Amino acid sequence: MDIYDLFLYLSVGAGFLMAFNLGANDVANSMASAVGARAITVKQAVFIAGTLNFVGAVFLGSHVTATISKGIINPEVISDPKIIMIGMFAALLAAGLWVLVATLTALPVSSTHSIVGAIMGFGLVAGGPDVVNWLKIGGIVLSWIISPFFAAAIAFFIFSHIRKYILYKRQFVKQALFWAPIWIAITLSVISLSFLYKTPVGKSLGLHWSMSLAIAAGLAFVAWLGGKMLVAKIAIDEEEGAEGVERVFRKMQVGTSCYVALSQGANDVANAIGPVAAIYLIAKEHVLLSRAEVPWPMLILGGCGIALGIALLGHKVMATVGTKITTLTNTRGFAVDFGAASTVLVASNLGLPVSTTHAAVGGVVGVGLARGFQAVDFRVLFRIVAYWVATVPIAALTSIVIFVLLKWLCYS
């Protein structure tokens, strides 16, 4: 076995570890608000998220990774492909270990930022400061502020609107019958646009923006009609009080959580499988190409790893995001999901690198603040933010240590 084959086998294991952590940490966020609001149980969340993420990863996943090094470093500057291979493996292992530590301490972190920091770390040692795309790093730092604040603002507005125009109204049943179908229509239009602009399958259609808007508007109208029938069928009883309204939003919330789970599987699997695909190419061709077909077995490996991660450790992060920051109900959980999905859609189409994890936590804080500062546990929030800030430097340093050690072992 030569060095190329050795690192290929090792990278498959490290890629599975990263996919496992994606499921245990990132993906758990998609179901956290639904579990926290008791729309579904933890077991149901594990089954739904595991299944939808596997489907998203294998059937909608990124078959062609656009920039296999994620645009963080310029691999052309590093002439020796073995150095790139060792570095990619070190980055994958370092990012996987950091997300595992965060998961075991039940704190949500961004797997995207972990792998970005790790790639930057080995790039600095292998090629010097000039090899790193500092503009891209600056954008990521900016996203630490944009994602949570934007999602918090949207979730704050939506929950305040629901409370003002439905829950606080004397005729709240009549108000719910009027507003719930509108929110269902708006939600479906955001989801359809998100599918067209955020998932690899949607992007491959290459639709003009006017066509995308027309599809979203058409689906919104159908959803509004369907929503009116659905809400009428649920038949809110005035004696139930606010619980009747919560029952309507409970069904909407399960739908939004399912979409987030499917979308995450399609988009985030590349975080685990992209570096493995890069090492696979180097092992076979002894060169690194900027674009590469990701073999099906690797996508299946990623999908299995994500599903296993949710099943074994997903409950830890779900508990933190869903219950420990603030108390969630179905209307609040719906506002969180809508805020997170809208933030990821709008910001990513503006070219801003956003994290679903940061957006989900921001949304939870937003609905908490709508009830006042006392409704948010800032001790938990500060611990989460500390982990976010530490993610890039810790992943980078760990990657450097592993890279230097492996390089010494391979070249000495």
Side-chain angles (χ1 to χ4, degrees):
M1 184 186 295
D2 62 15
I3 189 172
Y4 291 104
D5 289 335
L6 175 65
F7 273 94
L8 178 58
Y9 293 132
L10 288 173
S11 71
V12 169
F16 188 80
L17 173 69
M18 189 64 193
F20 176 89
N21 289 310
L22 269 173
N25 199 301
D26 273 38
V27 174
N29 290 316
S30 62
M31 289 289 157
S33 61
V35 171
R38 298 184 180 176
I40 52 176
T41 64
V42 172
K43 284 184 180 177
Q44 288 170 328
V46 165
F47 177 77
I48 294 170
T51 305
L52 291 179
N53 267 275
F54 182 83
V55 170
V58 176
F59 297 104
L60 303 177
S62 186
H63 294 257
V64 178
T65 53
T67 51
I68 222 153
S69 65
K70 303 188 77 65
I72 300 304
I73 60 166
N74 179 9
E76 292 176 1
V77 176
I78 305 167
S79 57
D80 187 349
K82 276 190 285 190
I83 293 291
I84 300 278
M85 185 175 67
I86 295 169
M88 283 293 180
F89 172 74
L92 201 52
L93 191 58
L97 289 173
W98 167 243
V99 182
L100 181 63
V101 168
T103 304
L104 292 175
T105 51
L107 292 174
V109 295
S110 167
S111 62
T112 305
H113 292 180
S114 302
I115 196 73
V116 162
I119 290 175
M120 181 186 77
F122 101 81
L124 275 171
V125 175
D130 293 339
V131 81
V132 177
N133 184 345
W134 292 106
L135 195 62
K136 186 99 175 179
I137 299 293
I140 288 168
V141 172
L142 198 61
S143 80
W144 293 340
I145 302 166
I146 293 171
S147 311
F149 279 88
F150 197 32
I154 295 174
F156 181 96
F157 167 76
I158 291 173
F159 178 61
S160 298
H161 183 278
I162 292 170
R163 195 166 55 170
K164 182 178 179 182
Y165 289 98
I166 300 178
L167 297 175
Y168 283 2
K169 287 287 183 183
R170 187 182 295 272
Q171 294 179 310
F172 63 86
V173 173
K174 186 179 175 184
Q175 291 294 107
L177 290 171
F178 176 78
W179 281 109
I182 293 175
W183 279 118
I184 290 173
I186 295 173
T187 303
L188 196 71
S189 63
V190 169
I191 285 176
S192 59
L193 285 173
S194 179
F195 182 84
L196 290 172
Y197 285 110
K198 276 295 291 175
T199 64
V201 170
K203 287 177 185 174
S204 69
L205 296 175
L207 296 178
H208 190 267
W209 64 267
S210 57
M211 178 60 74
S212 300
L213 285 179
I215 291 172
L219 286 173
F221 181 69
V222 173
W224 178 73
L225 286 176
K228 283 182 78 69
M229 289 188 281
L230 175 71
V231 175
K233 193 175 177 182
I234 291 173
I236 307 166
D237 187 347
E238 285 199 21
E239 291 184 1
E240 280 186 278
E243 178 54 32
V245 178
E246 295 291 341
R247 197 146 48 85
V248 174
F249 279 88
R250 190 176 303 152
K251 294 187 182 299
M252 293 161 63
Q253 196 192 355
V254 173
T256 52
S257 295
C258 287
Y259 167 72
V260 176
L262 188 72
S263 174
Q264 273 192 325
N267 289 301
D268 291 355
V269 70
N271 285 338
I273 299 305
V276 182
I279 293 169
Y280 171 78
L281 274 176
I282 294 170
K284 296 295 177 190
E285 308 290 339
H286 294 193
V287 292
L288 176 64
L289 304 176
S290 59
R291 295 174 69 84
E293 289 284 341
V294 179
W296 275 90
M298 286 190 187
L299 289 173
I300 293 173
L301 178 81
C304 288
I306 289 172
L308 191 66
I310 301 168
L312 295 183
L313 293 178
H315 62 279
K316 286 180 172 287
V317 174
M318 275 187 211
T320 301
V321 178
T323 62
K324 292 183 180 175
I325 300 173
T326 192
T327 305
L328 292 178
T329 60
N330 298 118
T331 46
R332 294 170 200 161
F334 168 76
V336 170
D337 288 343
F338 189 92
S342 305
T343 299
V344 173
L345 173 66
V346 174
S348 59
N349 281 311
L350 290 173
L352 299 170
V354 290
S355 159
T356 308
T357 299
H358 295 186
V361 172
V364 172
V365 174
V367 296
L369 289 176
R371 295 182 299 125
F373 281 93
Q374 73 282 358
V376 178
D377 189 333
F378 284 97
R379 289 172 302 175
V380 176
L381 185 60
F382 286 144
R383 283 184 65 206
I384 292 172
V385 172
Y387 267 58
W388 289 356
V389 174
T391 291
V392 169
I394 286 184
L397 284 172
T398 311
S399 174
I400 288 170
V401 171
I402 296 172
F403 172 70
V404 170
L405 187 62
L406 288 173
K407 189 181 169 190
W408 176 74
L409 285 172
C410 294
Y411 283 82
S412 62

Short mmCIF file of all heavy atoms in Angstrom, two decimals, residues 289-352:
data_model
loop_
_atom_site.label_atom_id
_atom_site.label_comp_id
_atom_site.label_asym_id
_atom_site.label_seq_id
_atom_site.Cartn_x
_atom_site.Cartn_y
_atom_site.Cartn_z
N LEU A 289 -7.98 18.70 -8.85
CA LEU A 289 -8.79 19.47 -9.78
C LEU A 289 -9.72 20.39 -8.97
O LEU A 289 -10.08 20.09 -7.84
CB LEU A 289 -9.63 18.53 -10.66
CG LEU A 289 -8.84 17.48 -11.45
CD1 LEU A 289 -9.79 16.56 -12.19
CD2 LEU A 289 -7.88 18.15 -12.42
N SER A 290 -10.08 21.54 -9.58
CA SER A 290 -10.94 22.48 -8.87
C SER A 290 -12.37 21.98 -8.80
O SER A 290 -13.12 22.30 -7.89
CB SER A 290 -10.90 23.85 -9.54
OG SER A 290 -11.32 23.74 -10.87
N ARG A 291 -12.79 21.18 -9.77
CA ARG A 291 -14.15 20.62 -9.75
C ARG A 291 -14.05 19.11 -9.90
O ARG A 291 -13.21 18.61 -10.64
CB ARG A 291 -14.98 21.17 -10.91
CG ARG A 291 -15.24 22.67 -10.79
CD ARG A 291 -15.92 23.18 -12.03
NE ARG A 291 -17.28 22.69 -12.15
CZ ARG A 291 -18.33 23.26 -11.56
NH1 ARG A 291 -18.16 24.33 -10.82
NH2 ARG A 291 -19.54 22.77 -11.71
N ALA A 292 -14.92 18.42 -9.16
CA ALA A 292 -14.81 16.97 -9.22
C ALA A 292 -16.16 16.30 -9.02
O ALA A 292 -16.97 16.77 -8.22
CB ALA A 292 -13.85 16.50 -8.12
N GLU A 293 -16.39 15.25 -9.77
CA GLU A 293 -17.58 14.44 -9.55
C GLU A 293 -17.41 13.68 -8.23
O GLU A 293 -16.38 13.06 -8.00
CB GLU A 293 -17.74 13.42 -10.69
CG GLU A 293 -18.15 14.02 -12.02
CD GLU A 293 -19.62 14.40 -12.06
OE1 GLU A 293 -20.39 13.88 -11.23
OE2 GLU A 293 -19.98 15.22 -12.91
N VAL A 294 -18.42 13.76 -7.38
CA VAL A 294 -18.35 13.01 -6.12
C VAL A 294 -19.01 11.65 -6.34
O VAL A 294 -20.18 11.59 -6.70
CB VAL A 294 -19.07 13.77 -4.99
CG1 VAL A 294 -19.02 12.97 -3.70
CG2 VAL A 294 -18.44 15.13 -4.79
N PRO A 295 -18.27 10.55 -6.17
CA PRO A 295 -18.86 9.22 -6.41
C PRO A 295 -20.06 8.95 -5.49
O PRO A 295 -20.07 9.37 -4.33
CB PRO A 295 -17.69 8.26 -6.10
CG PRO A 295 -16.47 9.09 -6.19
CD PRO A 295 -16.87 10.47 -5.77
N TRP A 296 -21.04 8.21 -6.02
CA TRP A 296 -22.24 7.87 -5.25
C TRP A 296 -21.92 7.20 -3.91
O TRP A 296 -22.53 7.54 -2.89
CB TRP A 296 -23.14 6.94 -6.08
CG TRP A 296 -24.03 7.70 -7.01
CD1 TRP A 296 -23.76 8.07 -8.30
CD2 TRP A 296 -25.33 8.21 -6.73
NE1 TRP A 296 -24.81 8.76 -8.84
CE2 TRP A 296 -25.80 8.85 -7.89
CE3 TRP A 296 -26.16 8.16 -5.61
CZ2 TRP A 296 -27.04 9.46 -7.95
CZ3 TRP A 296 -27.40 8.77 -5.67
CH2 TRP A 296 -27.83 9.41 -6.84
N PRO A 297 -21.00 6.23 -3.88
CA PRO A 297 -20.73 5.59 -2.58
C PRO A 297 -20.32 6.59 -1.50
O PRO A 297 -20.63 6.40 -0.32
CB PRO A 297 -19.58 4.62 -2.90
CG PRO A 297 -19.75 4.31 -4.35
CD PRO A 297 -20.23 5.58 -4.96
N MET A 298 -19.65 7.68 -1.91
CA MET A 298 -19.23 8.67 -0.92
C MET A 298 -20.44 9.44 -0.39
O MET A 298 -20.51 9.78 0.80
CB MET A 298 -18.23 9.65 -1.54
CG MET A 298 -16.86 9.05 -1.74
SD MET A 298 -15.67 10.30 -2.19
CE MET A 298 -14.26 9.26 -2.54
N LEU A 299 -21.40 9.76 -1.28
CA LEU A 299 -22.62 10.44 -0.82
C LEU A 299 -23.42 9.54 0.12
O LEU A 299 -23.99 10.00 1.11
CB LEU A 299 -23.48 10.84 -2.03
CG LEU A 299 -22.94 11.98 -2.88
CD1 LEU A 299 -23.78 12.16 -4.14
CD2 LEU A 299 -22.90 13.28 -2.10
N ILE A 300 -23.45 8.24 -0.20
CA ILE A 300 -24.16 7.29 0.67
C ILE A 300 -23.46 7.20 2.03
O ILE A 300 -24.09 7.19 3.08
CB ILE A 300 -24.25 5.91 0.00
CG1 ILE A 300 -25.16 6.00 -1.24
CG2 ILE A 300 -24.77 4.85 0.97
CD1 ILE A 300 -25.19 4.75 -2.09
N LEU A 301 -22.12 7.19 1.98
CA LEU A 301 -21.33 7.19 3.23
C LEU A 301 -21.67 8.42 4.07
O LEU A 301 -21.90 8.32 5.29
CB LEU A 301 -19.84 7.19 2.89
CG LEU A 301 -18.88 7.25 4.08
CD1 LEU A 301 -18.72 5.87 4.69
CD2 LEU A 301 -17.52 7.80 3.66
N GLY A 302 -21.73 9.59 3.40
CA GLY A 302 -22.08 10.83 4.10
C GLY A 302 -23.48 10.78 4.67
O GLY A 302 -23.71 11.16 5.82
N GLY A 303 -24.43 10.29 3.87
CA GLY A 303 -25.82 10.20 4.33
C GLY A 303 -25.96 9.27 5.52
O GLY A 303 -26.68 9.58 6.49
N CYS A 304 -25.27 8.12 5.49
CA CYS A 304 -25.33 7.17 6.62
C CYS A 304 -24.70 7.79 7.87
O CYS A 304 -25.24 7.64 8.99
CB CYS A 304 -24.56 5.89 6.26
SG CYS A 304 -25.41 4.88 5.05
N GLY A 305 -23.58 8.49 7.70
CA GLY A 305 -22.92 9.13 8.83
C GLY A 305 -23.81 10.18 9.48
O GLY A 305 -23.92 10.24 10.72
N ILE A 306 -24.48 11.00 8.66
CA ILE A 306 -25.37 12.04 9.18
C ILE A 306 -26.51 11.40 9.97
O ILE A 306 -26.83 11.82 11.09
CB ILE A 306 -25.93 12.90 8.02
CG1 ILE A 306 -24.82 13.80 7.43
CG2 ILE A 306 -27.09 13.77 8.50
CD1 ILE A 306 -25.22 14.54 6.17
N ALA A 307 -27.14 10.36 9.38
CA ALA A 307 -28.27 9.70 10.04
C ALA A 307 -27.85 9.08 11.36
O ALA A 307 -28.56 9.17 12.38
CB ALA A 307 -28.86 8.63 9.11
N LEU A 308 -26.67 8.44 11.40
CA LEU A 308 -26.18 7.82 12.63
C LEU A 308 -25.88 8.87 13.71
O LEU A 308 -26.15 8.67 14.90
CB LEU A 308 -24.92 7.00 12.33
CG LEU A 308 -24.43 6.08 13.45
CD1 LEU A 308 -25.44 4.98 13.71
CD2 LEU A 308 -23.07 5.45 13.09
N GLY A 309 -25.32 10.00 13.27
CA GLY A 309 -25.01 11.09 14.21
C GLY A 309 -26.25 11.63 14.89
O GLY A 309 -26.27 11.86 16.10
N ILE A 310 -27.32 11.82 14.09
CA ILE A 310 -28.58 12.31 14.68
C ILE A 310 -29.10 11.29 15.69
O ILE A 310 -29.53 11.64 16.79
CB ILE A 310 -29.65 12.50 13.59
CG1 ILE A 310 -29.18 13.49 12.53
CG2 ILE A 310 -30.96 12.99 14.19
CD1 ILE A 310 -30.05 13.49 11.30
N ALA A 311 -29.06 10.00 15.29
CA ALA A 311 -29.65 8.95 16.14
C ALA A 311 -28.93 8.83 17.47
O ALA A 311 -29.55 8.65 18.52
CB ALA A 311 -29.64 7.63 15.40
N LEU A 312 -27.58 8.92 17.46
CA LEU A 312 -26.83 8.65 18.68
C LEU A 312 -26.62 9.89 19.57
O LEU A 312 -26.71 9.80 20.79
CB LEU A 312 -25.46 8.04 18.32
CG LEU A 312 -25.51 6.65 17.66
CD1 LEU A 312 -24.11 6.12 17.42
CD2 LEU A 312 -26.30 5.66 18.52
N LEU A 313 -26.34 11.04 18.96
CA LEU A 313 -26.00 12.21 19.79
C LEU A 313 -26.85 13.46 19.50
O LEU A 313 -26.66 14.49 20.13
CB LEU A 313 -24.52 12.58 19.58
CG LEU A 313 -23.47 11.57 20.10
CD1 LEU A 313 -22.06 12.05 19.79
CD2 LEU A 313 -23.62 11.37 21.61
N GLY A 314 -27.76 13.37 18.52
CA GLY A 314 -28.55 14.55 18.13
C GLY A 314 -29.36 15.16 19.26
O GLY A 314 -29.58 16.37 19.28
N HIS A 315 -29.76 14.33 20.24
CA HIS A 315 -30.62 14.83 21.31
C HIS A 315 -29.91 15.88 22.17
O HIS A 315 -30.56 16.74 22.77
CB HIS A 315 -31.08 13.66 22.20
CG HIS A 315 -29.95 12.95 22.88
ND1 HIS A 315 -29.18 11.99 22.25
CD2 HIS A 315 -29.44 13.09 24.13
CE1 HIS A 315 -28.27 11.54 23.10
NE2 HIS A 315 -28.40 12.19 24.24
N LYS A 316 -28.58 15.85 22.23
CA LYS A 316 -27.85 16.80 23.09
C LYS A 316 -28.03 18.24 22.62
O LYS A 316 -28.41 19.12 23.39
CB LYS A 316 -26.36 16.43 23.11
CG LYS A 316 -26.04 15.20 23.94
CD LYS A 316 -24.56 14.90 23.89
CE LYS A 316 -24.18 13.80 24.86
NZ LYS A 316 -24.21 14.21 26.26
N VAL A 317 -27.74 18.48 21.33
CA VAL A 317 -27.86 19.85 20.80
C VAL A 317 -29.33 20.26 20.68
O VAL A 317 -29.68 21.42 20.89
CB VAL A 317 -27.12 19.96 19.45
CG1 VAL A 317 -27.36 21.32 18.82
CG2 VAL A 317 -25.63 19.75 19.66
N MET A 318 -30.19 19.29 20.36
CA MET A 318 -31.63 19.59 20.29
C MET A 318 -32.12 20.16 21.62
O MET A 318 -32.90 21.11 21.66
CB MET A 318 -32.43 18.31 20.00
CG MET A 318 -32.54 17.94 18.54
SD MET A 318 -33.65 16.53 18.36
CE MET A 318 -32.95 15.73 16.95
N ALA A 319 -31.66 19.55 22.73
CA ALA A 319 -32.10 20.00 24.06
C ALA A 319 -31.63 21.43 24.33
O ALA A 319 -32.37 22.25 24.87
CB ALA A 319 -31.56 19.05 25.13
N THR A 320 -30.38 21.75 23.93
CA THR A 320 -29.85 23.10 24.19
C THR A 320 -30.62 24.15 23.40
O THR A 320 -31.10 25.14 23.95
CB THR A 320 -28.35 23.16 23.82
OG1 THR A 320 -27.65 22.19 24.59
CG2 THR A 320 -27.78 24.54 24.10
N VAL A 321 -30.72 23.94 22.07
CA VAL A 321 -31.35 24.95 21.20
C VAL A 321 -32.86 24.99 21.44
O VAL A 321 -33.48 26.06 21.42
CB VAL A 321 -31.04 24.66 19.72
CG1 VAL A 321 -31.73 25.67 18.81
CG2 VAL A 321 -29.54 24.67 19.48
N GLY A 322 -33.48 23.82 21.68
CA GLY A 322 -34.93 23.76 21.76
C GLY A 322 -35.51 24.12 23.12
O GLY A 322 -36.66 24.55 23.20
N THR A 323 -34.71 23.96 24.20
CA THR A 323 -35.32 24.18 25.53
C THR A 323 -34.51 25.07 26.48
O THR A 323 -35.08 25.64 27.40
CB THR A 323 -35.53 22.82 26.25
OG1 THR A 323 -34.24 22.20 26.43
CG2 THR A 323 -36.42 21.90 25.44
N LYS A 324 -33.18 25.16 26.28
CA LYS A 324 -32.39 25.83 27.31
C LYS A 324 -32.20 27.33 27.10
O LYS A 324 -31.86 28.06 28.04
CB LYS A 324 -31.00 25.16 27.43
CG LYS A 324 -31.11 23.75 27.99
CD LYS A 324 -29.77 23.10 28.17
CE LYS A 324 -29.94 21.69 28.75
NZ LYS A 324 -28.66 20.98 28.83
N ILE A 325 -32.38 27.83 25.85
CA ILE A 325 -32.19 29.27 25.62
C ILE A 325 -33.45 30.03 26.04
O ILE A 325 -33.40 31.05 26.73
CB ILE A 325 -31.86 29.55 24.14
CG1 ILE A 325 -30.57 28.84 23.75
CG2 ILE A 325 -31.72 31.05 23.90
CD1 ILE A 325 -30.24 28.90 22.27
N THR A 326 -34.62 29.51 25.61
CA THR A 326 -35.90 30.11 25.98
C THR A 326 -36.98 29.04 25.83
O THR A 326 -36.73 28.00 25.22
CB THR A 326 -36.22 31.34 25.11
OG1 THR A 326 -37.32 32.05 25.68
CG2 THR A 326 -36.57 30.95 23.69
N THR A 327 -38.16 29.30 26.39
CA THR A 327 -39.26 28.34 26.26
C THR A 327 -39.95 28.53 24.91
O THR A 327 -40.29 29.65 24.55
CB THR A 327 -40.28 28.56 27.39
OG1 THR A 327 -39.60 28.48 28.64
CG2 THR A 327 -41.37 27.50 27.33
N LEU A 328 -40.11 27.41 24.18
CA LEU A 328 -40.72 27.51 22.86
C LEU A 328 -42.13 26.91 22.86
O LEU A 328 -42.38 25.91 23.51
CB LEU A 328 -39.86 26.77 21.81
CG LEU A 328 -38.51 27.38 21.48
CD1 LEU A 328 -37.77 26.51 20.48
CD2 LEU A 328 -38.66 28.79 20.93
N THR A 329 -43.01 27.58 22.11
CA THR A 329 -44.33 27.01 21.80
C THR A 329 -44.37 26.81 20.29
O THR A 329 -43.38 27.10 19.61
CB THR A 329 -45.44 27.99 22.22
OG1 THR A 329 -45.24 29.21 21.49
CG2 THR A 329 -45.43 28.26 23.71
N ASN A 330 -45.49 26.33 19.77
CA ASN A 330 -45.55 26.08 18.32
C ASN A 330 -45.51 27.36 17.51
O ASN A 330 -44.89 27.41 16.45
CB ASN A 330 -46.79 25.27 17.99
CG ASN A 330 -46.78 23.93 18.67
OD1 ASN A 330 -47.64 23.62 19.48
ND2 ASN A 330 -45.77 23.13 18.41
N THR A 331 -46.17 28.43 17.98
CA THR A 331 -46.13 29.69 17.24
C THR A 331 -44.70 30.26 17.28
O THR A 331 -44.21 30.77 16.27
CB THR A 331 -47.11 30.71 17.85
OG1 THR A 331 -46.98 30.71 19.27
CG2 THR A 331 -48.54 30.40 17.47
N ARG A 332 -44.05 30.15 18.42
CA ARG A 332 -42.65 30.64 18.52
C ARG A 332 -41.73 29.78 17.67
O ARG A 332 -40.84 30.29 16.99
CB ARG A 332 -42.19 30.61 19.98
CG ARG A 332 -42.93 31.57 20.88
CD ARG A 332 -42.59 31.34 22.34
NE ARG A 332 -43.60 31.89 23.21
CZ ARG A 332 -43.78 31.55 24.48
NH1 ARG A 332 -42.99 30.64 25.03
NH2 ARG A 332 -44.74 32.10 25.21
N GLY A 333 -41.94 28.46 17.71
CA GLY A 333 -41.11 27.56 16.90
C GLY A 333 -41.28 27.81 15.41
O GLY A 333 -40.30 27.77 14.65
N PHE A 334 -42.51 28.10 15.00
CA PHE A 334 -42.74 28.43 13.59
C PHE A 334 -41.97 29.70 13.22
O PHE A 334 -41.33 29.77 12.16
CB PHE A 334 -44.24 28.63 13.33
CG PHE A 334 -44.54 29.24 12.00
CD1 PHE A 334 -44.48 28.47 10.84
CD2 PHE A 334 -44.87 30.59 11.89
CE1 PHE A 334 -44.74 29.04 9.60
CE2 PHE A 334 -45.13 31.16 10.66
CZ PHE A 334 -45.06 30.39 9.51
N ALA A 335 -42.01 30.71 14.10
CA ALA A 335 -41.29 31.96 13.84
C ALA A 335 -39.78 31.71 13.74
O ALA A 335 -39.09 32.30 12.89
CB ALA A 335 -41.58 32.97 14.94
N VAL A 336 -39.25 30.80 14.57
CA VAL A 336 -37.82 30.46 14.54
C VAL A 336 -37.46 29.83 13.19
O VAL A 336 -36.49 30.24 12.54
CB VAL A 336 -37.47 29.48 15.68
CG1 VAL A 336 -36.05 28.93 15.50
CG2 VAL A 336 -37.60 30.16 17.03
N ASP A 337 -38.24 28.82 12.78
CA ASP A 337 -37.95 28.13 11.51
C ASP A 337 -38.03 29.09 10.33
O ASP A 337 -37.19 29.07 9.43
CB ASP A 337 -38.95 26.98 11.30
CG ASP A 337 -38.67 25.82 12.23
OD1 ASP A 337 -37.56 25.77 12.79
OD2 ASP A 337 -39.55 24.97 12.39
N PHE A 338 -39.07 29.94 10.34
CA PHE A 338 -39.23 30.89 9.24
C PHE A 338 -38.07 31.88 9.21
O PHE A 338 -37.52 32.20 8.14
CB PHE A 338 -40.56 31.65 9.40
CG PHE A 338 -40.93 32.48 8.20
CD1 PHE A 338 -41.73 31.96 7.19
CD2 PHE A 338 -40.45 33.78 8.06
CE1 PHE A 338 -42.05 32.72 6.08
CE2 PHE A 338 -40.77 34.54 6.95
CZ PHE A 338 -41.57 34.01 5.96
N GLY A 339 -37.67 32.38 10.38
CA GLY A 339 -36.55 33.33 10.45
C GLY A 339 -35.25 32.71 9.96
O GLY A 339 -34.50 33.34 9.19
N ALA A 340 -34.99 31.46 10.36
CA ALA A 340 -33.74 30.80 9.95
C ALA A 340 -33.73 30.53 8.45
O ALA A 340 -32.74 30.82 7.75
CB ALA A 340 -33.58 29.49 10.72
N ALA A 341 -34.85 30.01 7.93
CA ALA A 341 -34.91 29.68 6.49
C ALA A 341 -34.80 30.95 5.64
O ALA A 341 -34.09 30.97 4.62
CB ALA A 341 -36.21 28.95 6.18
N SER A 342 -35.47 32.03 6.06
CA SER A 342 -35.43 33.29 5.30
C SER A 342 -34.03 33.88 5.31
O SER A 342 -33.54 34.38 4.29
CB SER A 342 -36.41 34.31 5.90
OG SER A 342 -37.68 33.78 5.97
N THR A 343 -33.36 33.81 6.47
CA THR A 343 -32.01 34.37 6.58
C THR A 343 -31.04 33.65 5.65
O THR A 343 -30.28 34.29 4.90
CB THR A 343 -31.50 34.23 8.04
OG1 THR A 343 -32.37 34.97 8.88
CG2 THR A 343 -30.09 34.75 8.18
N VAL A 344 -31.09 32.32 5.68
CA VAL A 344 -30.18 31.54 4.84
C VAL A 344 -30.45 31.82 3.37
O VAL A 344 -29.52 31.99 2.56
CB VAL A 344 -30.33 30.03 5.14
CG1 VAL A 344 -29.53 29.19 4.16
CG2 VAL A 344 -29.85 29.74 6.57
N LEU A 345 -31.73 31.93 3.00
CA LEU A 345 -32.09 32.18 1.61
C LEU A 345 -31.62 33.56 1.15
O LEU A 345 -30.90 33.69 0.14
CB LEU A 345 -33.61 32.07 1.43
CG LEU A 345 -34.14 32.48 0.05
CD1 LEU A 345 -33.64 31.52 -1.02
CD2 LEU A 345 -35.65 32.55 0.04
N VAL A 346 -31.99 34.61 1.89
CA VAL A 346 -31.69 35.99 1.46
C VAL A 346 -30.19 36.25 1.50
O VAL A 346 -29.61 36.74 0.52
CB VAL A 346 -32.43 37.01 2.37
CG1 VAL A 346 -32.00 38.43 2.02
CG2 VAL A 346 -33.93 36.85 2.21
N ALA A 347 -29.55 35.91 2.61
CA ALA A 347 -28.13 36.23 2.76
C ALA A 347 -27.25 35.46 1.77
O ALA A 347 -26.31 36.02 1.20
CB ALA A 347 -27.68 35.92 4.19
N SER A 348 -27.57 34.19 1.55
CA SER A 348 -26.73 33.42 0.62
C SER A 348 -26.90 33.91 -0.81
O SER A 348 -25.97 33.87 -1.60
CB SER A 348 -27.03 31.93 0.72
OG SER A 348 -28.38 31.68 0.44
N ASN A 349 -28.10 34.40 -1.15
CA ASN A 349 -28.29 34.94 -2.50
C ASN A 349 -27.64 36.31 -2.67
O ASN A 349 -27.44 36.78 -3.78
CB ASN A 349 -29.78 35.01 -2.84
CG ASN A 349 -30.30 33.65 -3.26
OD1 ASN A 349 -29.72 32.97 -4.09
ND2 ASN A 349 -31.38 33.22 -2.64
N LEU A 350 -27.34 36.97 -1.55
CA LEU A 350 -26.59 38.23 -1.61
C LEU A 350 -25.08 37.96 -1.60
O LEU A 350 -24.28 38.89 -1.58
CB LEU A 350 -26.96 39.12 -0.42
CG LEU A 350 -28.37 39.71 -0.43
CD1 LEU A 350 -28.67 40.42 0.87
CD2 LEU A 350 -28.53 40.68 -1.60
N GLY A 351 -24.71 36.68 -1.56
CA GLY A 351 -23.30 36.31 -1.58
C GLY A 351 -22.67 36.31 -0.21
O GLY A 351 -21.44 36.24 -0.09
N LEU A 352 -23.48 36.38 0.86
CA LEU A 352 -22.93 36.40 2.21
C LEU A 352 -22.90 34.97 2.77
O LEU A 352 -23.90 34.27 2.69
CB LEU A 352 -23.79 37.28 3.12
CG LEU A 352 -23.88 38.75 2.71
CD1 LEU A 352 -24.95 39.46 3.53
CD2 LEU A 352 -22.53 39.43 2.92
#
